[in-house]
Amino acid sequence: MSQEHTQQQNVNTSRTVSAAAREKTFIVIDGNSLMHRAFHAVPFYMKAPDGRSTNACFGFISMLLKLSEEYHPDAFICAFDQGVPEFRLKALESYKAQRPPTDPQLKEQFPMIQELLASMNVPIVQIPGWEGDDIIGTLGRRGEEAGYRMYLVTGDRDAFQLASAGVSIIATRVGVSDVMVYGPNEVRERYGIGPELVADYIALKGDPSDNIPGLPGVGEKTAAKLIQMYGSLEGIVAHKDELKPKMRQNLEEYENELFNGRIVATISRDVPIELDLTDLCFPCFEEAPVRAAFGTLGIRAQLPKILKLISDDEAEINRFEEYLPVPRRIVSGKEDTFLDEICEAALNGGTQPVAMVIDADGEITLFDDNHRLVVATSDGCAEFTGSHIAPVVARLLKETSVVVFDAKILLREVVPLDSSLPALIDPLALDGTRLFDVSLAAYLLESTRSSYTVEHLVERYLKCGVPPTGDALPSSWVEAAALLALRGPLEEALTEDGSLACYRDIDMPLVPVLVNMERTGVFLDVPRVRSLASQIHDQLEELTRKIYESAGVEFNIASPKQLATVLFEKLMLPTQKKTQRGYSTDASVLEDLSVLHPLPRLVLEYRELSKFKSTYLDTLPTMLADDHRLHTTFNQTITATGRLSSSDPNLQNIPVRSALGREIRTAFVAGSPAAHGESVEGEEWRFVSADYSQIELRLLADLSGDEGLIAAFTEGRDFHAATASRIFNIPIDELPPEIRNRAKAVNFGIVYGQQAFGLSESLSISFKEAQDMIDRYFQAYPQVRRYLDHLIEEAQTTGYAVTMFGRKRHVPELHASKPAQREAGKRVAMNHPMQGSAADIIKLAMIEVQRRLRDEGFRAEFILQVHDELDFNCPVSELERLEQMVVSVMEQVVSLKVPLVVSCSSGENWAEAH
């Protein structure tokens, strides 16, 4: 095929077309390319009811929806491969011969995506003996000639040769959602050549995916430079005497291969396609076949968005109307009969729940007279504002079944985050069976999501879109109605997923416990904090002096750019990692450089002290409530493992073993709760800390069933010493301390899925030594190896890892295209059963401890939960009884093959107690 012919295909001749035709936009998709991208980008665990994988279909439809939203095309067309053109095989017999067979789980999805597209009336074009890129090239040409605006969607960079005045290439980059749009100018900007020369460029540089060999010694930059200089393959051959001897020799030897490579790389735009573009349209499909096709494959989350394409705003409101309680009433006082009617119906055996939403112009705001409470029932909606909110919430929570998005947000209305303010209800007296928290249910079903929204839940579980909101339909009314409707479907989903027990027995009963803990708070010794701040300030000033002296110049220590200049330009230290902003000065780089010069170590110390001072010492005193206590918030829906997190302030991030961590913990003190009116004159109080010992290792022993591991715990020996003795074949009483420490690192590393490289880094030993230790560990505990392998295999099959209580964590990383991501997925699959089970056990212990505190009349307060530790503020007179009760509950909350062990101690502050 001559260069002139290639260029002629791109000529955009002037034509007379109607104005209506010029306004049309078509999107043509290379189906094979997009399906391959989607298969590797979307989590593998997505399945149809019959067990077939659907992840590529899901990703494909996601891209189609995104394209529809951004470009509003008049029509979609989808092309698929059906053989290879004869001219390519003649030019290159080995064309694509090296490609591995299509993954069976992807292959089975091609008929599935075609069924979905057919239900949406999207034309599918397959021509025997032609590939998808030839079809999209032909359709692009025909559409442009008809005066249409054409967009071609593909991940194949060969398609850049198709760009022209009326044809743009939407090229997928990462996955299916990250795209770039290329017209002729963008192609020239990227390669320095026009679209008409892309096939020449590919022939020169080669294309391993198609087996196009290219010219030896020529890569992307050289290929582009040669074409820019000489214009085409013909031009390069004509000027071969100007090339370097080796390149000239290669050109003479491979000239035929180069021109054959161009033939293979050239996309045909003359495929015989019997498709009339004139009458195509999108969206123009019926609801019933779409519902049937998507329902058969179990792809429910996208269905509302698909159906929304064929409905207007009024239709969306009508679709949602069945969930929207009417009439709506504005209630401005307690005398209104609406609230009485709700409570009377509930007291008389009514089973309909009440939904409550706290709203302030789209934002949740507490203790603000401008916010409002929307209450929805099957009989209507009502709105309460200002001072009426708290009494309404209090009454409905004792008397009715309530549905909320975040129970703790609602409870804050009646249980303030400050013990000096009155609480309208006792959160510990709530009947948890009558409170349904939509966000908790959503979290258990999809623990790896970064956020949970009512809109997402409505689309997924109610199979409809949220209607547009405004003055006629306020968002808070819609949300209240949605919550009311979501309870049933979410309860069904929890049951089907096997997660209902976790919701019913662990997460939901924990809510009142957390609310009570947050309200109680912890005392802070402010003078102690200020004294520490002063000390750190002095240390920072001294460090600043040393840093300037070591650097030989003053500079902004907090500026990575200025620090890099000092390290790599003034001191001439070797550069390491490079970022977009220049050479990195992160902690790992400074650690490596610290063996060469004292400055990096000084900067590390400065950063640690500065961060500690700003995060804790400067901030904590400003966060005290009127009861002189800190009130952290415990978050239940943040971590994928099920562990609680802490915020405002984050008390779980205080370093446990560092000197700085112990210093700040001395400022968290015990004290008499005088604000409660319960103090006894002269009575002393103590900070009590109860901590699980090696809970995850004990769970590994229980879940794996390894006899040696179980024996190491049941016999009451030093577990790390017992492991060291087994690994290194040394009697326990002869073990050097460093050998025990190595075994300890292996024990904890195994639980977290650590491999030899990570262990070698943490112990500063060779990779071979680390691998040898791991091998010895699995020889000593063979059932552990079999158990961990089983966890990975099971997660690869099901798509998730699960705790002993049924808490799931989906692990899409197991089927990622990148090996590093797959290895990370394996570590998650191995660790979640232990870490997640430990989190569940601690939650169960918290629920039972709080029940015992209340039922047995303790004045001691449950104040904190940090990792594997529960903390209390306790009068000395109850100290012994509290410690016995807490240890008993924590050790007996679940029955395992090995004993759970809890250490408990007390002191005047947190540091002394831990």
Side-chain angles (χ1 to χ4, degrees):
M1 187 178 291
S2 69
Q3 176 65 26
E4 289 75 16
H5 178 69
T6 302
Q7 292 175 333
Q8 182 62 34
Q9 286 187 325
N10 267 325
V11 173
N12 184 23
T13 59
S14 59
R15 300 170 179 87
T16 303
V17 293
S18 67
R22 288 189 181 277
E23 293 173 356
K24 281 192 174 183
T25 297
F26 282 64
I27 292 182
V28 187
I29 298 173
D30 183 341
N32 289 74
S33 174
L34 195 59
M35 284 291 282
H36 275 88
R37 293 273 173 161
F39 181 73
H40 295 289
V42 179
F44 170 79
Y45 63 79
M46 302 186 71
K47 301 280 187 181
D50 61 8
R52 291 179 294 170
S53 297
T54 58
N55 63 321
C57 294
F58 184 92
F60 190 106
I61 297 298
S62 294
M63 184 60 174
L64 186 143
L65 286 167
K66 179 180 173 68
L67 293 168
S68 177
E69 179 182 346
E70 292 189 6
Y71 294 92
H72 303 287
D74 295 281
F76 278 103
I77 307 171
C78 192
F80 287 95
D81 295 349
Q82 198 169 22
V84 176
E86 188 177 342
F87 74 84
R88 289 198 181 105
L89 291 176
K90 285 183 179 179
L92 183 62
E93 186 176 348
S94 61
Y95 175 62
K96 291 187 176 179
Q98 87 296 349
R99 288 191 179 183
T102 303
D103 190 299
Q105 291 175 327
L106 170 58
K107 189 174 183 179
E108 68 179 358
Q109 294 187 62
F110 280 96
M112 297 158 67
I113 190 61
Q114 291 184 7
E115 291 171 12
L116 295 178
L117 291 170
S119 75
M120 300 166 64
N121 280 340
V122 172
I124 297 169
V125 182
Q126 284 182 295
I127 308 294
W130 291 97
E131 294 181 279
D133 52 4
D134 299 303
I135 295 172
I136 69 171
T138 301
L139 290 172
R141 175 187 63 79
R142 284 177 50 184
E144 184 180 23
E145 288 176 352
Y148 304 145
R149 187 75 184 89
M150 306 299 293
Y151 289 95
L152 313 181
V153 182
T154 181
D156 191 345
R157 301 305 183 257
D158 295 5
F160 289 161
Q161 65 188 272
L162 303 174
S164 65
V167 178
S168 295
I169 314 302
I170 299 178
T172 56
R173 295 193 296 186
V174 179
V176 292
S177 60
D178 184 9
V179 300
M180 281 286 291
V181 180
Y182 287 85
N185 291 337
E186 287 75 19
V187 173
R188 293 187 186 94
E189 184 178 337
R190 175 165 178 169
Y191 295 109
I193 59 175
E196 72 280 358
L197 292 169
V198 167
D200 296 61
Y201 168 77
I202 294 171
L204 269 176
K205 77 174 184 64
D207 186 349
S209 66
D210 288 343
N211 257 6
I212 298 174
L215 186 65
V218 174
E220 293 184 358
K221 291 183 178 179
T222 303
K225 184 178 180 181
L226 288 171
I227 294 175
Q228 290 165 13
M229 291 174 64
Y230 302 115
S232 64
L233 289 184
E234 288 85 353
I236 295 170
V237 171
H239 294 82
K240 63 184 179 183
D241 291 341
E242 300 174 17
L243 304 178
K244 293 179 180 179
K246 181 62 177 176
M247 186 176 292
R248 182 172 66 247
Q249 179 184 340
N250 287 336
L251 186 61
E252 291 171 349
E253 184 177 349
Y254 288 94
E255 182 175 335
N256 287 336
E257 283 83 352
L258 283 177
F259 284 98
N260 284 336
R262 187 173 70 184
I263 292 173
V264 172
T266 299
I267 295 174
S268 175
R269 282 171 257 194
D270 294 307
V271 178
I273 301 174
E274 296 180 3
L275 180 68
D276 186 355
L277 304 185
T278 308
D279 297 326
L280 297 184
C281 65
F282 184 87
C284 51
F285 53 84
E286 297 295 326
E287 180 175 330
V290 169
R291 281 191 178 276
F294 279 76
T296 298
L297 298 181
I299 302 179
R300 302 183 181 92
Q302 294 169 325
L303 185 57
K305 294 180 180 179
I306 295 292
L307 296 178
K308 192 173 182 178
L309 295 172
I310 58 172
S311 63
D312 54 24
D313 290 351
E314 183 177 354
E316 280 299 300
I317 293 175
N318 292 336
R319 190 187 300 278
F320 193 77
E321 190 69 29
E322 61 182 292
Y323 303 116
L324 185 64
V326 289
R328 295 174 236 152
R329 288 191 271 179
I330 303 297
V331 177
S332 58
K334 291 185 291 185
E335 71 279 2
D336 193 278
T337 59
F338 184 78
L339 191 59
D340 293 330
E341 292 170 3
I342 293 174
C343 295
E344 184 179 353
L347 292 172
N348 290 332
T351 57
Q352 285 294 327
V354 175
M356 293 197 282
V357 172
I358 298 292
D359 178 77
D361 298 325
E363 297 181 0
I364 294 172
T365 308
L366 303 181
F367 310 117
D368 181 347
D369 287 341
N370 294 324
H371 70 304
R372 60 185 174 177
L373 169 73
V374 175
V375 177
T377 74
S378 58
D379 299 317
C381 280
E383 180 180 290
F384 299 84
T385 58
S387 61
H388 302 297
I389 293 176
V392 170
V393 173
R395 184 173 178 187
L396 291 178
L397 286 173
K398 292 172 179 178
E399 296 183 17
T400 63
S401 178
V402 174
V403 184
V404 295
F405 185 77
D406 187 326
K408 283 172 61 184
I409 291 293
L410 186 72
L411 287 168
R412 283 285 159 262
E413 295 292 326
V414 288
V415 186
L417 203 66
D418 182 342
S419 60
S420 69
L421 298 173
L424 297 188
I425 67 168
D426 178 358
L428 301 176
L430 281 175
D431 181 357
T433 62
R434 293 192 311 185
L435 189 62
F436 189 83
D437 190 323
V438 168
S439 66
L440 271 184
Y443 165 70
L444 277 165
L445 293 168
E446 303 177 84
S447 65
T448 53
R449 280 187 69 88
S450 58
S451 64
Y452 308 90
T453 64
V454 171
E455 181 180 30
H456 165 72
L457 297 176
V458 166
E459 290 176 348
R460 175 156 189 177
Y461 296 100
L462 299 184
K463 312 300 186 297
C464 69
V466 174
T469 59
D471 294 338
L473 197 65
S475 60
S476 53
W477 297 91
V478 173
E479 182 177 343
L483 296 181
L484 204 61
L486 279 167
R487 177 173 182 165
L490 284 174
E491 286 180 329
E492 291 177 11
L494 288 170
T495 302
E496 292 175 5
D497 189 63
S499 300
L500 184 61
C502 266
Y503 175 86
R504 182 190 59 218
D505 302 330
I506 301 176
D507 284 11
M508 198 61 230
L510 188 65
V511 171
V513 176
L514 296 179
V515 169
N516 196 67
M517 290 170 63
E518 292 170 357
R519 172 176 168 80
T520 302
V522 58
F523 286 110
L524 185 72
D525 184 345
V526 175
R528 172 63 177 155
V529 173
R530 288 175 177 156
S531 174
L532 289 172
S534 178
Q535 293 175 34
I536 298 295
H537 175 77
D538 293 343
Q539 292 176 45
L540 286 171
E541 285 196 335
E542 177 62 16
L543 273 174
T544 299
R545 184 189 64 78
K546 290 181 178 180
I547 287 171
Y548 291 163
E549 184 179 276
S550 179
V553 65
E554 293 188 6
F555 63 100
N556 182 356
I557 304 171
S559 167
K561 184 176 181 180
Q562 292 188 33
L563 176 60
T565 300
V566 172
L567 291 173
F568 307 126
E569 295 181 15
K570 186 177 187 302
L571 299 179
M572 301 300 291
L573 294 177
T575 56
Q576 310 252 321
K577 295 184 294 184
K578 192 171 185 180
T579 67
Q580 292 181 342
R581 298 181 179 180
Y583 286 102
S584 172
T585 59
D586 65 17
S588 63
V589 170
L590 296 182
E591 284 285 355
D592 291 342
L593 295 177
S594 63
V595 300
L596 304 175
H597 196 278
L599 179 60
R601 174 62 59 193
L602 292 171
V603 173
L604 283 171
E605 292 177 17
Y606 181 93
R607 284 181 179 177
E608 182 184 15
L609 287 177
S610 180
K611 181 179 179 181
F612 188 81
K613 183 174 181 293
S614 61
T615 302
Y616 297 111
L617 303 181
D618 295 342
T619 304
L620 291 181
T622 69
M623 303 181 75
L624 291 180
D626 289 342
D627 60 1
H628 309 295
R629 297 189 185 202
L630 282 173
H631 298 271
T632 188
T633 295
F634 294 101
N635 307 299
Q636 288 180 274
T637 61
I638 301 297
T639 69
T641 61
R643 283 192 176 272
L644 299 174
S645 68
S646 167
S647 59
D648 303 319
N650 184 347
L651 301 183
Q652 295 189 341
N653 269 9
I654 296 176
V656 177
R657 294 179 178 85
S658 73
L660 284 175
R662 289 194 61 81
E663 288 288 351
I664 189 61
R665 286 184 173 222
T666 63
F668 290 82
V669 296
S672 171
H676 294 175
E678 300 173 353
S679 62
V680 177
E681 189 68 29
E683 186 175 30
E684 294 185 357
W685 288 64
R686 291 291 182 267
F687 201 112
V688 179
S689 180
D691 195 7
Y692 276 113
S693 173
Q694 304 164 338
I695 185 171
E696 291 178 9
L697 290 172
R698 293 171 188 273
L699 283 167
L700 176 61
D702 177 85
L703 294 170
S704 70
D706 187 275
E707 295 179 359
L709 207 55
I710 292 172
F713 281 117
T714 56
E715 293 169 6
R717 294 178 291 170
D718 179 332
F719 173 68
H720 298 308
T723 298
S725 178
R726 281 174 170 263
I727 291 178
F728 297 104
N729 197 26
I730 301 173
I732 289 181
D733 55 1
E734 298 178 15
L735 278 174
E738 63 272 15
I739 296 298
R740 179 189 179 276
N741 289 338
R742 285 191 174 191
K744 181 178 180 180
V746 176
N747 278 327
F748 285 110
I750 293 298
V751 171
Y752 287 93
Q754 190 178 53
Q755 302 299 310
F757 177 78
L759 184 63
S760 67
E761 290 279 301
S762 63
L763 290 177
S764 298
I765 60 176
S766 69
F767 178 89
K768 185 177 182 304
E769 286 180 286
Q771 187 61 60
D772 183 60
M773 288 176 63
I774 291 174
D775 292 341
R776 286 170 177 260
Y777 178 94
F778 286 128
Q779 289 171 5
Y781 305 123
Q783 187 57 32
V784 172
R785 175 74 281 168
R786 288 192 288 271
Y787 172 66
L788 296 178
D789 289 343
H790 168 72
L791 290 178
I792 295 173
E793 293 170 4
E794 192 173 58
Q796 286 173 330
T797 301
T798 63
Y800 59 80
V802 63
T803 72
M804 60 192 298
F805 298 93
R807 185 182 302 276
K808 293 179 179 177
R809 177 176 180 176
H810 293 283
V811 195
E813 301 93 333
L814 284 171
H815 299 279
S817 58
K818 296 181 179 178
Q821 292 178 323
R822 292 198 298 272
E823 289 302 313
K826 290 179 182 179
R827 290 194 293 273
V828 169
M830 288 188 284
N831 173 247
H832 180 70
M834 276 74 74
Q835 191 176 24
S837 295
D840 288 336
I841 288 171
I842 291 164
K843 289 178 178 178
L844 288 168
M846 293 172 69
I847 295 166
E848 179 61 12
V849 162
Q850 184 61 76
R851 185 192 69 79
R852 293 278 298 271
L853 286 172
R854 180 182 175 84
D855 291 354
E856 297 174 17
F858 280 94
R859 288 186 296 128
E861 302 172 320
F862 193 0
I863 55 175
L864 289 178
Q865 186 274 331
V866 179
H867 305 306
D868 301 332
E869 164 193 340
L870 305 184
D871 297 313
F872 305 86
N873 184 38
C874 178
V876 171
S877 60
E878 293 182 353
L879 192 57
E880 183 177 354
R881 186 163 67 102
L882 176 75
E883 290 181 346
Q884 289 176 351
M885 183 272 285
V886 172
V887 170
S888 174
V889 169
M890 293 176 70
E891 291 185 345
Q892 298 175 31
V893 71
V894 65
S895 177
L896 304 177
K897 300 182 185 74
V898 298
L900 284 175
V901 175
V902 174
S903 59
C904 190
S905 54
S906 63
E908 294 184 356
N909 59 59
W910 196 1
E912 291 181 6
H914 192 271

